[in-house]
Amino acid sequence: MEWLEASTENCPVQRTLDVVGEKWTMLILRDAVNGVRRFDDFHRHIGLSEAVLSDRLRKLTSAGILKTVPYQEPGSRARNEYRLTRKGWDLWPALMALGQWGETYILDPEDTLLDIRHTGCDAPVRVVVECSAEHSALNPWDVTARLGPGARRRS
């Protein structure tokens, strides 16, 4: 069976985009990675409506990407902060890759918002693809894609 004959209903890219593939969702994740935790801060920083923000936070929480943690400011009602779970932090490389691509192809180098560096040596951080045998910096021509055991023929 070839790629075009395979059903894509169980494609990991498609299934992931079903959860996080909407623009506002990715911006919420970007802010969460950078320490934003409270509804009002997400709302103010990203600039989306309260209804859309509530919906996206609810979806990310039900998907196990964010968790809620109660807090209460003196004199105010109890509210929830939104914190990344391990599952949420595992999206960090994807966010880094999107940012790296944008810095390379969209932004002028002088417009870079964040200068992300390795704490240990202060070198710039970059995203690379490597195999499990630690051969790093692979490109698409260095890999072979085969249909996996879950591949099914298109109906």
Side-chain angles (χ1 to χ4, degrees):
M1 179 173 34
E2 299 293 324
W3 173 250
L4 290 176
E5 298 169 338
S7 168
T8 57
E9 72 182 39
N10 203 30
C11 170
V13 173
Q14 181 175 332
R15 300 283 294 272
T16 301
L17 290 174
D18 288 345
V19 178
V20 299
E22 199 274 331
K23 170 187 169 181
W24 297 119
T25 300
M26 294 303 287
L27 295 178
I28 290 167
L29 292 173
R30 175 207 60 195
D31 277 13
V33 162
N34 287 297
V36 177
R37 294 184 173 167
R38 296 185 177 178
F39 184 95
D40 291 340
D41 293 334
F42 284 116
H43 180 250
R44 183 176 55 255
H45 194 247
I46 300 172
L48 71 166
S49 73
E50 289 185 3
V52 171
L53 177 57
S54 292
D55 178 65
R56 297 310 183 274
L57 289 171
R58 187 171 29 262
K59 286 179 180 176
L60 288 166
T61 302
S62 68
I65 294 169
L66 293 175
K67 66 180 178 182
T68 57
V69 177
Y71 76 94
Q72 186 170 10
E73 296 286 342
S76 298
R77 66 179 174 85
R79 302 182 85 180
N80 285 320
E81 287 187 338
Y82 296 89
R83 297 187 185 178
L84 289 163
T85 62
R86 175 68 182 177
K87 189 175 179 180
W89 278 110
D90 282 348
L91 286 164
W92 181 70
L95 290 166
M96 291 290 296
L98 284 170
Q100 183 176 308
W101 187 90
E103 287 176 355
T104 301
Y105 296 106
I106 305 294
L107 295 179
D108 182 294
E110 298 301 314
D111 292 335
T112 298
L113 178 62
L114 288 174
D115 182 17
I116 301 171
R117 295 185 172 263
H118 179 217
T119 303
C121 70
D122 202 40
V125 173
R126 63 186 172 91
V127 178
V128 297
V129 175
E130 66 180 23
C131 73
S132 61
E134 299 180 10
H135 299 112
S136 63
L138 302 177
N139 65 53
W141 300 273
D142 295 325
V143 301
T144 302
R146 299 180 183 104
L147 293 176
R152 294 174 188 78
R153 193 169 294 279
R154 289 178 71 109
S155 336

